[in-house]
Amino acid sequence: MLVSMKSGTAVILGRPNSGKSTLLNALVGQKVSIVSSKPQTTRNRILGIITEERGQIAFTDTPGIHKPAYRMNRRMMGAVYEELKEIDLVLLVVDASISFGAGEKFALEMVQKAQRSSLLLLNKVDRVAKPKLLPIMERYGKTYDFLEIIPISALNGDNLNLLIDKIFHYLPEGELVYESEQITDRSERFLAAEFIREKLLERMREELPYTSAVLVRNFDESRRAEKNLVVIEADILVERRSQQGIVLGAGASQLRDLGIAARRDLEQLLECQVYLSLTVRTAPNWRNDDTVLDQLELGR
Ligand SMILES: Nc1nc2c(ncn2[C@@H]2O[C@H](COP(=O)(O)OP(=O)(O)OP(=O)(O)O)[C@@H](O)[C@H]2O)c(=O)[nH]1
Ligand SMILES: [Mg+2]
């Protein structure tokens, strides 16, 4: 007997910092989306694909749901709305370790408006005492008719196999859309910029995480086959001159450390040696500049 396959799309939604990108990486078993402790880490839609004998799930990680203040943020949120149009399932991720507030309400309203088949994922349960979970589940259960409410830990992997089983259960039957080895649709060049930005976010505080970006100026693969070497030249954009010094650190030591950490990750990603050159550049008001935002693939 021919067993039919399941195939479909699931969008990962939630407020900033709820653990969406950590979840995507855990599900696909590889880092495709950067993670940090700062809200608004993810700025683009990131596809992550899993393919098994029973079928294929195309997940999309999205920027955290927030009220946009700059053109950049409007484009980020535009990408989220766009995503909601053509998907089979919504996975709403909430941080169960913090109390319900305006951010949770805002994300929930988006799901209510979209009226899509949705699973609610209570994330970070590794930080929550078990007896506290039931009231949280009941509270969310009243707000929307979720197909399931599943407590998970994206960080520890708790309940992720169950989650995958549930998703396959709810997906429609269909053919594979992507090659079985494909993990994401993002280019190595895009991922390189993101991996560098992750190292920047880890080291920056206050407004710098929001006002900086990474633009890969040159991604030279001409010596990849012969010398196993990729040359990457990237600009770190900041909004004000005074911020350049903060990124550089004393005697440019911070930029050097950042470059070393980023190169290590990039060599793992690209499976070759990487020569990385980083420059800090002031680009006033880049968050409202469509030319820069286009180069950053923002909103896509
Ligand atoms: N304890 C714990 N921490 C988690 C878990 N999942 C994610 N985190 C942490 O939460 C922080 C935010 O994780 P991200 O995956 O970047 O969150 P996000 O929802 O993608 O955030 P944005 O891209 O800003 O919208 C990081 O410090 C993660 O390590 C979890 O299950 N347990
Ligand atoms: Mg993210």
Side-chain angles (χ1 to χ4, degrees):
M1 196 182 76
L2 199 66
V3 182
S4 60
M5 284 206 291
K6 295 290 191 96
S7 176
T9 51
V11 62
I12 306 175
L13 290 187
R15 63 169 294 180
N17 215 39
S18 53
K20 301 177 293 299
S21 303
T22 309
L23 176 64
L24 179 77
N25 295 339
L27 290 168
V28 302
Q30 196 175 312
K31 185 159 94 184
V32 289
S33 191
I34 63 166
V35 166
S36 92
S37 58
K38 317 281 191 309
Q40 294 184 30
T41 294
T42 306
R43 293 176 175 166
N44 311 71
R45 282 186 269 181
I46 315 267
L47 188 70
I49 307 154
I50 61 176
T51 308
E52 298 182 2
E53 267 178 23
R54 55 186 159 168
Q56 189 169 68
I57 313 171
F59 295 97
T60 343
D61 184 16
T62 57
I65 299 168
H66 64 285
K67 297 202 166 117
Y70 293 84
R71 190 168 298 211
M72 166 177 88
N73 305 77
R74 280 201 291 282
R75 285 172 65 147
M76 282 159 69
M77 291 315 297
V80 178
Y81 286 111
E82 210 36 51
E83 196 56 46
L84 272 172
K85 286 188 192 155
E86 292 171 30
I87 39 101
D88 296 304
L89 270 182
V90 170
L91 309 177
L92 176 63
V93 179
V94 300
D95 181 345
S97 72
I98 57 172
S99 51
F100 189 94
E104 284 67 31
K105 189 161 171 276
F106 192 46
L108 201 51
E109 281 168 2
M110 196 156 163
V111 172
Q112 287 165 333
K113 266 187 227 145
Q115 289 290 317
R116 290 311 188 102
S117 303
S118 306
L119 309 187
L120 178 72
L121 309 182
L122 297 180
N123 190 30
K124 309 198 187 182
V125 293
D126 52 286
R127 282 206 198 144
V128 184
K130 278 236 167 68
K132 288 203 171 151
L133 272 178
L134 203 59
I136 304 177
M137 292 170 84
E138 281 173 354
R139 156 151 218 170
Y140 275 100
K142 282 185 203 144
T143 58
Y144 187 75
D145 195 10
F146 290 104
L147 295 172
E148 310 265 349
I149 300 183
I150 310 172
I152 61 163
S153 168
L155 196 65
N156 296 347
D158 291 347
N159 259 355
L160 298 190
N161 284 335
L162 172 83
L163 170 62
I164 292 174
D165 289 348
K166 296 280 186 192
I167 295 171
F168 271 120
H169 173 77
Y170 289 111
L171 283 187
E173 287 177 3
E175 299 294 316
L176 301 191
V177 175
Y178 302 94
E179 298 284 332
S180 57
E181 316 79 50
Q182 194 178 344
I183 294 211
T184 185
D185 61 343
R186 289 291 176 174
S187 66
E188 288 182 336
R189 186 184 180 121
F190 174 88
L191 292 175
E194 287 289 275
F195 277 37
I196 298 165
R197 196 163 62 84
E198 184 181 67
K199 299 297 166 232
L200 186 67
L201 290 175
E202 275 171 11
R203 287 166 176 77
M204 296 299 137
R205 273 174 295 147
E206 289 157 19
E207 88 272 23
L208 254 165
Y210 309 102
T211 55
S212 55
V214 175
L215 204 55
V216 169
R217 238 183 314 117
N218 182 24
F219 190 92
D220 179 1
E221 295 185 89
S222 58
R223 277 165 284 177
R224 190 166 188 170
E226 211 173 294
K227 291 257 162 57
N228 199 32
L229 175 73
V230 171
V231 176
I232 301 173
E233 290 170 286
D235 287 337
I236 295 175
L237 306 186
V238 292
E239 286 196 325
R240 290 191 303 278
R241 232 190 129 66
S242 60
Q243 294 171 327
Q244 284 198 7
I246 303 176
V247 175
L248 287 166
S253 58
Q254 177 157 259
L255 185 68
R256 208 166 34 244
D257 289 351
L258 190 159
I260 292 169
R263 199 191 61 210
R264 212 175 291 136
D265 274 20
L266 291 170
E267 289 187 335
Q268 231 175 34
L269 171 77
L270 305 175
E271 295 177 326
C272 67
Q273 280 182 292
V274 169
Y275 172 81
L276 178 63
S277 161
L278 296 173
T279 312
V280 187
R281 205 157 61 79
T282 307
N285 209 23
W286 67 264
R287 283 184 292 173
N288 276 321
D289 184 339
D290 275 326
T291 316
V292 179
L293 297 175
D294 283 345
Q295 286 175 317
L296 293 170
E297 300 183 27
L298 249 146
R300 273 195 271 147

